[in-house]
């Protein structure tokens, strides 16, 4: 038939539908509408998959339903950018926020599959009940955009995901470190020129000290005294030496907030080096909270900060030093801070991601304390690194487990699920991303699990390097457990890339988490490659 004949018949069908009141549904595969599967990373016991729905027709789509079958021994572990039901090996995925597809446009959803044995792709793909191929068959039902076949309708016992938060509603936060203004030459102005500020909701300023049971300034020169001339300031005006004038990073943050009125800055206290003071602080939590409030709301910079963050590494457990203040200490501390700071200011906390049985999450009452925080920053990085000088090599920020992981439970999903099982609301959890890599030297094996002779050389410290350096000096050549690794010469590195960050943001949405954060800004490229991927993945 000619193209004219097809159009003529189509018009007749449409007129008939109008007269008879029959709903006309576009063919799934016919008319250039298709669904295509692609496979991402594979860690031996699971993989990341993706279906892309392409609208090659001339009509807009307002919804989609994709069905497929998994082989025996495989099952869906999580799915994002959509909702799903599973009945045995049959999976039905539907749009959540991304149902509208303009002519020529695409939509997609991603998912993780766990499997045993060897990898096999999904089979039996159906798009709106018809073929997933662009030239395929018309859906069997003309009254619904999804299959009405009883064999594909999941029973009431099927597992169903919750719809993720709407796009734009997820938090993005990044750490600015005050010592970055020295050797790293990273200043508040760089947050603006890199495009990072426009992609953030929150900045955590790190770190204030915790000493003698009180909050204290970390570096007075860098924080509020360093002079910035017009060329190095955010707003193009020079600091002054007038008595009482605010300078340093605090003043630059003030200028940044004027450019971005919705941006909020949180003062973070503690960190790896200064966490030893929290035990004493918890012993008189009210006095501690008062000291923190007086510092955060000091009249010289009261308009700069919108809240406080506590980075205690770790309550009732060991970090650089060991704390024995008891499992209730964190809750006591955060309750006092919430009482003093009130509901109008933010109270957050960075917390461990140790999901092992009897590990750091089990050592403190994170669930009980969660009622007093706006959210937790879960530090889902630094699981493995060159401090284990002989290896085995392992990704420092795995999203999931994988065959050969050195410590069971040392991966992001383990921590998230443990916190949720204890009663911490999912929307109060932010997933952490490292803007740096960790690595070993003396390695001869490209795949994870190799032996080493020590930490790899780094610009500032052995065993650690910025992403902006590694992307060129040792480009990624593999992925495992949702993150990337690189083998070059005899060095082995693991780090996140824009691609793996995008996958992690899919996980954030699939789990209904509150958003994501990263440590820290100096590791990104000058044009903000990683923050662009993080923010884009949350949209």
């Amino acid at each position: 038939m000619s193209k004219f004949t097809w159009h003529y018949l189509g018009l007749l069908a449409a007129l008939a539908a109008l007269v008879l009141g029959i709903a006309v549904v576009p063919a799934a595969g016919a008319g250039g509408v298709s669904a295509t599967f692609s496979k991402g990373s594979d860690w031996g016991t699971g993989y990341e998959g993706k279906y892309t729905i392409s609208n090659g027709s001339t009509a807009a789509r307002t919804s989609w339903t994709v069905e497929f079958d998994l082989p025996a021994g495989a099952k869906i572990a999580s799915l994002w950018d959509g909702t799903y039901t599973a009945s045995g090996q049959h999976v039905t995925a539907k749009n959540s926020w991304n149902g509208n597809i303009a002519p020529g446009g695409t939509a997609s959803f991603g998912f993780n599959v766990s499997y045993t044995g060897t990898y096999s792709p999904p089979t039996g793909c159906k798009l709106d009940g018809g073929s997933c191929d662009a030239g395929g068959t018309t859906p069997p039902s003309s009254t619904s955009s999804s299959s009405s076949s009883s064999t594909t309708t999941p029973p009431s016992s099927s597992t169903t995901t919750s719809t993720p938060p709407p796009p734009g509603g997820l938090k993005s936060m990044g750490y600015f470190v005050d010592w970055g203004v020295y050797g790293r030459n990273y200043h508040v102005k760089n947050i603006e020129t890199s495009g990072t500020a426009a992609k953030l909701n929150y900045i955590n300023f790190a770190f204030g000290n915790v000493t003698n049971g009180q909050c204290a300034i970390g570096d007075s020169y860098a924080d509020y005294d360093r002079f910035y001339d017009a060329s190095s300031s955010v707003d193009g005006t020079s600091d002054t030496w007038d008595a009482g004038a605010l300078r340093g990073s605090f003043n630059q943050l003030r200028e940044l907030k004027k450019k971005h009125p919705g941006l909020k800055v949180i003062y973070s206290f503690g960190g790896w080096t200064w966490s030893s003071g929290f035990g004493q602080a918890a012993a008189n939590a009210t006095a501690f909270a008062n000291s923190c409030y007086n510092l955060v709301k000091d009249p010289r910079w009261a308009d700069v900060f919108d809240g406080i963050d506590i980075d205690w590494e770790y309550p009732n457990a060991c970090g650089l030093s060991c704390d024995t203040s008891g499992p209730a200490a964190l809750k006591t501390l955060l309750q006092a801070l919430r009482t003093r700071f009130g509901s109008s200011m933010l109270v957050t906390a960075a917390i461990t991601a140790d999901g092992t049985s009897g590990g750091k999450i089990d050592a403190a009452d994170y669930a009980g304390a969660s009622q007093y925080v706006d959210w937790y920053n879960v530090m889902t990085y630094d699981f493995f690194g060159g401090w284990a000088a002989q290896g085995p090599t392992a990704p420092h920020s795995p999203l999931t487990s994988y065959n050969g992981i050195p410590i069971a439970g040392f991966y992001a999903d383990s921590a998230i699920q443990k916190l949720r099982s204890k009663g911490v609301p999912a929307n109060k959890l932010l997933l952490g991303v490292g803007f740096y890599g960790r690595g070993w030297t003396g390695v001869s094996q490209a795949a994870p699990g190799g032996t080493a002779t020590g930490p790899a050389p780094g610009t500032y410290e052995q065993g650690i390097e910025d992403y902006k350096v590694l992307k060129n000096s040792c480009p990624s050549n593999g992925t495992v457990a949702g993150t990337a690794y690189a083998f070059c010469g005899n060095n082995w590195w693991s780090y996140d890339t824009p691609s793996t960050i995008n996958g992690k943001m899919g996980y954030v949405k699939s789990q209904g988490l509150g958003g994501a954060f990263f440590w820290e800004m100096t590791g990104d490229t000058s044009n903000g490659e990683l923050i662009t991927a993080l923010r884009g993945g949350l949209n």
Side-chain angles (χ1 to χ4, degrees):
M1 291 185 183
S2 69
K3 186 179 294 184
F4 172 80
T5 305
W6 279 115
H7 288 321
Y8 179 69
L9 291 175
L11 285 171
L12 287 178
L15 286 171
L18 287 172
V19 172
L20 299 174
I22 301 172
V24 177
V25 179
V33 183
S34 63
T36 306
F37 170 76
S38 59
K39 178 190 173 193
S41 58
D42 188 320
W43 47 95
T45 58
Y47 68 88
E48 179 184 313
K50 179 180 181 180
Y51 272 99
T52 301
I53 303 99
S54 301
N55 185 5
S57 73
T58 57
R61 310 280 291 187
T62 59
S63 65
W64 50 261
T65 299
V66 174
E67 301 173 63
F68 56 91
D69 297 302
L70 295 174
K75 67 176 182 177
I76 287 279
S78 61
L79 185 145
W80 54 92
D81 293 341
T83 63
Y84 80 94
T85 56
S87 178
Q89 301 309 110
H90 190 80
V91 179
T92 302
K94 297 186 178 184
N95 60 277
S96 53
W97 56 268
N98 54 348
N100 293 320
I101 314 177
T106 63
S108 64
F109 64 94
F111 52 95
N112 285 334
V113 172
S114 61
Y115 68 85
T116 56
T118 59
Y119 161 78
S120 294
T123 58
C125 180
K126 291 183 179 180
L127 173 58
D128 292 342
S131 170
C132 285
D133 296 329
T137 59
T138 303
S141 170
S142 61
T143 58
S144 172
S145 61
S146 61
S147 171
S148 61
S149 169
S150 61
T151 60
T152 59
T153 302
S156 58
S157 60
S158 300
T159 302
T160 305
T161 62
S162 59
T163 302
L170 300 179
K171 301 175 181 68
S172 60
M173 185 276 282
Y175 277 90
F176 174 87
V177 296
D178 63 355
W179 61 87
V181 304
Y182 297 117
R184 290 177 170 269
N185 197 30
Y186 190 97
H187 307 271
V188 176
K189 184 177 181 179
N190 294 100
I191 309 176
E192 176 68 12
T193 58
S194 64
T196 300
K199 300 177 177 72
L200 289 174
N201 306 120
Y202 307 93
I203 293 173
N204 267 22
F205 181 87
F207 282 117
N209 199 350
V210 180
T211 181
N212 298 320
Q214 297 185 331
C215 282
I217 286 288
D219 182 336
S220 60
Y221 173 70
D223 294 352
Y224 62 84
D225 193 35
R226 181 184 176 120
F227 180 87
Y228 284 91
D229 61 20
S231 65
S232 58
S233 69
V234 170
D235 67 358
T237 61
S238 176
D239 287 343
T240 76
W241 291 105
D242 294 346
L246 186 65
R247 293 180 292 274
S249 294
F250 286 2
N251 187 50
Q252 294 302 302
L253 287 168
R254 174 185 283 166
E255 294 179 3
L256 189 68
K257 289 180 69 176
K258 289 178 181 178
K259 280 183 170 285
H260 302 274
L263 182 64
K264 297 185 182 298
V265 180
I266 304 170
Y267 202 156
S268 185
F269 290 84
W272 180 257
T273 304
W274 287 338
S275 281
S276 60
F278 279 118
Q280 182 181 356
N284 192 342
T286 299
F288 173 71
N290 287 336
S291 75
C292 298
Y293 184 87
N294 292 337
L295 178 56
V296 172
K297 300 302 290 181
D298 185 294
R300 291 171 290 178
W301 50 74
D303 60 326
V304 173
F305 296 107
D306 301 282
I308 186 171
D309 175 74
I310 297 301
D311 187 347
W312 185 351
E313 302 181 26
Y314 299 96
N316 202 40
C318 295
L320 183 61
S321 60
C322 291
D323 175 71
T324 57
S325 55
L330 178 67
K331 179 180 177 180
T332 299
L333 197 73
L334 290 172
Q335 182 178 16
L337 287 169
R338 174 55 73 195
T339 299
R340 185 65 184 89
F341 280 79
S343 59
S344 63
M345 296 192 72
L346 295 164
V347 175
T348 68
I351 66 170
T352 178
D354 178 1
T356 60
S357 178
K360 293 182 176 67
I361 289 177
D362 291 330
D365 186 9
Y366 289 99
S370 67
Q371 63 188 297
Y372 303 113
V373 299
D374 291 277
W375 66 79
Y376 282 139
N377 301 309
V378 189
M379 296 182 285
T380 47
Y381 40 74
D382 290 347
F383 287 105
F384 306 104
W387 51 84
Q390 279 70 53
T393 57
H396 83 87
S397 57
L399 178 62
T400 58
S401 188
Y402 64 96
N403 280 342
I405 191 168
I407 300 175
F410 262 34
Y411 57 94
D413 184 59
S414 176
I416 296 298
Q417 301 312 326
K418 171 161 277 202
L419 289 163
R420 293 179 66 176
S421 71
K422 288 179 176 291
V424 180
N427 63 4
K428 283 195 174 187
L429 298 174
L430 269 59
L431 186 78
V433 177
F435 278 17
Y436 61 91
R438 289 196 176 275
W440 289 262
T441 193
V443 181
S444 59
Q445 175 178 312
T451 59
T453 59
T459 303
Y460 304 100
E461 179 185 345
Q462 285 188 325
I464 188 169
E465 186 59 270
D466 293 342
Y467 166 78
K468 66 176 182 280
V469 174
L470 289 171
K471 65 165 290 191
N472 297 313
S473 67
C474 194
S476 166
N477 47 37
T479 58
V480 61
T483 189
Y485 64 87
F487 180 63
C488 49
N490 64 345
N491 294 327
W492 193 97
W493 292 93
S494 74
Y495 54 91
D496 274 309
T497 64
S499 176
T500 63
I501 288 175
N502 186 266
K504 287 185 174 183
M505 296 310 98
Y507 171 87
V508 167
K509 290 188 285 190
S510 74
Q511 295 294 316
L513 305 187
F517 75 97
F518 63 89
W519 178 272
E520 42 84 13
M521 294 181 186
T522 67
D524 205 352
T525 61
S526 61
N527 63 344
E529 284 183 18
L530 298 186
I531 180 57
T532 299
L534 187 145
R535 181 68 263 177
L538 293 176
N539 288 342

